[in-house]
Amino acid sequence: MRFVSFFLNNRLTIAPEHLVNDPSIKAVPFSKLPSVNQPTLNPAFSFDENLQQILHGKSLLFDELPFIVERIQEHYENGYLNYSDGVRKTKYGYTCSRCGNEKNHLFASFSCFRCKSDACVYCRNCIMMGRVSECTPLLSWTGPKVYWYEENNLLWDGKLSSGQQVASQRFVDGVGGEGELLIWAVCGAGKTEVLFKGIEKALKLGLRVCIATPRTDVVLELAPRLKAVFPETLVASYYGGSDEMETPAQLVISTTHQLYRFKQAFNIMIVDEVDAFPFSYDKTLQHAVSQAVTPEHFTLYLSATPSNVMKKAAKKGQLSCVKIPQRFHGYPLPVPKIVWSGERRKKIAAGNLPPVFEKWLKKQVESGRRAMIFVPSVSMLDTVTDIIKKHVSIQVDSVHAEDPLRKEKVQKFRQKDIQLLVTTTILERGVTIPILDVAVFGADHDVFSESALVQIAGRAGRSKDEHDGQVLYFHYGKSLSMVRASKHIKEMNKEAES
């Protein structure tokens, strides 16, 4: 889109080109406009409450708003919203105002129909959220803020373990103030329940809360649970394909990627699985979290496998930390059984499975229990799944990050319509299935880090009625990650006993 700048009532202002009928004024891409002061707020203007609720606390493109350009421009001229550069040219290259990307190789240019430029620069890093370029401004709300309903009662009569209770109280104590807290809790400790009281306090104070997680599957797992325990609260889930992203929610459960769209929105930020890929490796996702919170905020980090940086910060007292080494039901974590299975590639190429793995598979089928089978890559996924189907007569399926039926397949697995689910590491976290065994096929592969293997093992034994699920690491040579993961689990069990 091209804009024009002109004087109106002795003040320099801007507007989309097609709204100003003056051919003498030169239209340019948004980034080429002169610096213009934000119009002052006109209290007599009748603003659109729907636009307020959608845009408040966000930074969105024109295309993401279900309003005509004329109505949006009216709000700008009356001081109720602001236009800002989507992509800015700097001394060293470019910066994306939405995701914070500054890496030159993650910018590209194209011949743009909207701004008539042959080389309109856009950000490739957050392209999946809609293209941000030199000619696409980001819109943010500058009018009256949204006030939230404060009668948000928690509807939950469960009981916390002693470890959960300590962590819950530390979170409650932090709500309403500023700071950071790490809750280091083993897989299956009941981290979600630990959040309930703190979230309730925040909601009753009129604060806005976000639970951010790297994985869509975790959002899909958490959203219905939180809606059930906070029935009076506006709750929305944000992930690719969600139909709730225009809901004016006080409690938001979001993938970390969707936080690119928020700006100074949340008083309480809960980052679940803070060590998980891609959040732990992607600086722009960490930037998104910092941009999504209000200047005064409280941040809670949750992890079963915090990074060494976080562990050192906690040890030095630089990061407040509370540890829950025991699962909510009081039983220990299943210790992985490390099984040598020989060279798998030749077997798979010949359409076979390693004998020891095939033997386990047949026993698993006979047991009638569900199992997740983790493989190192998408390329191996279909091949292994097809071979397994030749050996068993039960329902088997596979799932990976880009699978269009991913949500439906996981739901079928929950409902016991699928007994064996072959998956990549996409399901290593946040998915709770009762009565489950876990196998890692090719556990020595580099993709299976210590934290990944600990998290995978954490899928088993999560139910109080069935707490001793089986975990097997099939390998062709023990990796350091396998040894460390096993040690990690044993140490947590030992700490829980003391």
Side-chain angles (χ1 to χ4, degrees):
M1 183 181 295
R2 295 199 300 183
F3 278 72
V4 294
S5 60
F6 58 98
F7 280 94
L8 179 67
N9 299 326
N10 296 318
R11 182 178 62 83
L12 187 64
T13 189
I14 61 174
E17 175 186 16
H18 70 277
L19 299 184
V20 180
N21 294 317
D22 188 342
S24 67
I25 302 177
K26 183 181 179 181
V28 296
F30 187 85
S31 63
K32 306 298 182 185
L33 289 169
S35 178
V36 177
N37 292 328
Q38 166 77 11
T40 56
L41 191 74
N42 175 13
F45 176 69
S46 180
F47 67 88
D48 191 311
E49 290 187 3
N50 288 331
L51 178 57
Q52 175 201 35
Q53 291 180 339
I54 291 173
L55 193 55
H56 179 253
K58 292 181 185 172
S59 184
L60 301 177
L61 303 169
F62 269 100
D63 293 344
E64 295 179 282
L65 294 170
F67 299 89
I68 60 174
V69 174
E70 288 81 358
R71 186 64 171 144
I72 292 172
Q73 179 66 15
E74 283 181 345
H75 282 75
Y76 167 74
E77 291 174 356
N78 285 278
Y80 284 75
L81 62 79
N82 183 47
Y83 300 144
S84 61
D85 289 318
V87 170
R88 292 183 290 108
K89 187 171 178 57
T90 67
K91 181 179 178 181
Y92 303 102
Y94 293 92
T95 296
C96 176
S97 300
R98 181 168 66 181
C99 72
N101 170 41
E102 295 179 334
K103 297 177 180 178
N104 286 331
H105 72 278
L106 290 177
F107 289 98
S109 63
F110 70 112
S111 180
C112 181
F113 172 79
R114 290 184 171 185
C115 71
K116 318 302 181 189
S117 171
D118 291 331
C120 182
V121 175
Y122 70 96
C123 177
R124 295 195 298 117
N125 185 65
C126 58
I127 188 70
M128 79 292 289
M129 316 296 291
R131 182 157 52 197
V132 174
S133 68
E134 288 183 290
C135 74
T136 52
L138 292 170
L139 285 61
S140 55
W141 185 256
T142 53
K145 69 177 185 177
V146 174
Y147 287 94
W148 303 104
Y149 179 65
E150 296 181 9
E151 294 299 322
N152 295 280
N153 295 306
L154 172 65
L155 186 64
W156 185 69
D157 58 1
K159 293 184 179 180
L160 300 177
S161 68
S162 57
Q164 286 177 303
Q165 184 60 50
V166 171
S168 174
Q169 190 58 51
R170 288 283 295 276
F171 178 31
V172 169
D173 293 342
V175 170
E178 296 181 68
E180 295 180 312
L181 172 66
L182 167 65
I183 295 181
W184 179 357
V186 297
C187 298
K191 295 191 291 292
T192 303
E193 289 76 11
V194 167
L195 303 178
F196 289 166
K197 286 292 184 181
I199 291 175
E200 181 186 36
K201 178 182 176 182
L203 297 176
K204 287 190 172 184
L205 289 173
L207 305 179
R208 198 176 186 193
V209 182
C210 178
I211 303 175
T213 176
R215 304 287 172 84
T216 297
D217 303 277
V218 182
V219 174
L220 296 172
E221 175 104 9
L222 290 177
R225 295 175 66 186
L226 288 162
K227 288 178 181 179
V229 298
F230 291 106
E232 301 169 323
T233 304
L234 288 170
V235 183
S237 54
Y238 277 63
Y239 58 90
S242 170
D243 58 2
E244 297 182 346
M245 291 197 283
E246 290 183 6
T247 303
Q250 188 177 1
L251 174 56
V252 171
I253 305 101
S254 174
T255 60
T256 47
H257 279 90
Q258 291 295 332
L259 294 185
Y260 288 146
R261 291 193 164 103
F262 289 94
K263 182 178 181 180
Q264 295 189 6
F266 302 106
N267 312 97
I268 307 293
M269 176 61 73
I270 302 166
V271 186
D272 191 19
E273 306 293 1
V274 68
D275 62 295
F277 178 87
F279 180 80
S280 58
Y281 295 90
D282 192 335
K283 298 296 183 185
T284 66
L285 290 177
Q286 296 165 29
H287 170 82
V289 169
S290 67
Q291 290 292 103
V293 294
T294 57
E296 296 180 355
H297 62 275
F298 184 82
T299 303
L300 178 68
Y301 302 109
L302 302 173
S303 181
T305 50
S307 67
N308 288 330
V309 173
M310 277 195 153
K311 289 178 184 177
K312 288 177 182 178
K315 191 174 182 179
K316 291 179 180 179
Q318 299 168 345
L319 174 63
S320 295
C321 177
V322 58
K323 201 170 183 180
I324 310 177
Q326 188 177 56
R327 287 183 153 184
F328 77 95
H329 51 51
Y331 293 98
L333 295 156
V335 177
K337 183 179 180 182
I338 298 176
V339 182
W340 185 87
S341 56
E343 211 292 315
R344 58 187 173 272
R345 292 178 181 85
K346 290 181 180 178
K347 287 284 186 182
I348 292 171
N352 298 314
L353 296 169
V356 67
F357 180 78
E358 185 179 337
K359 183 179 179 181
W360 168 80
L361 189 65
K362 289 179 178 178
K363 285 185 177 180
Q364 190 67 30
V365 171
E366 291 171 2
S367 72
R369 294 166 58 89
R370 280 171 293 178
M372 280 186 184
I373 300 171
F374 289 83
V375 297
S377 64
V378 175
S379 60
M380 187 183 288
L381 189 72
D382 289 339
T383 305
V384 170
T385 304
D386 289 342
I387 297 172
I388 289 174
K389 286 179 177 179
K390 293 176 183 178
H391 285 76
V392 300
S393 58
I394 59 168
Q395 188 63 34
V396 182
D397 214 329
S398 63
V399 67
H400 58 90
E402 302 303 321
D403 190 335
L405 298 177
R406 168 178 164 186
K407 181 179 177 181
E408 290 78 4
K409 288 178 179 179
V410 173
Q411 186 59 29
K412 283 184 177 181
F413 189 55
R414 289 186 194 283
Q415 296 170 347
K416 301 182 181 180
D417 294 331
I418 298 172
Q419 187 176 339
L420 296 179
L421 185 63
V422 188
T423 180
T424 58
T425 55
I426 192 64
L427 295 184
E428 74 180 37
R429 300 165 184 261
V431 179
T432 299
I433 306 290
I435 312 179
L436 180 74
D437 295 319
V438 174
V440 184
F441 185 70
D444 50 307
H445 193 282
D446 291 344
V447 75
F448 294 118
S449 62
E450 174 190 344
S451 62
L453 290 170
V454 170
Q455 291 285 352
I456 288 169
R459 298 311 98 207
R462 297 172 73 91
S463 171
K464 63 181 180 180
D465 299 320
E466 203 282 329
H467 50 80
D468 56 353
Q470 196 177 35
V471 179
L472 298 100
Y473 294 162
F474 291 97
H475 68 94
Y476 184 47
K478 285 185 185 179
S479 67
L480 186 58
S481 293
M482 290 165 57
V483 174
R484 286 176 173 171
S486 183
K487 182 181 178 183
H488 179 122
I489 291 168
K490 289 175 182 177
E491 287 179 349
M492 289 301 245
N493 285 340
K494 185 176 180 181
E495 188 171 339
E497 291 174 359
S498 61

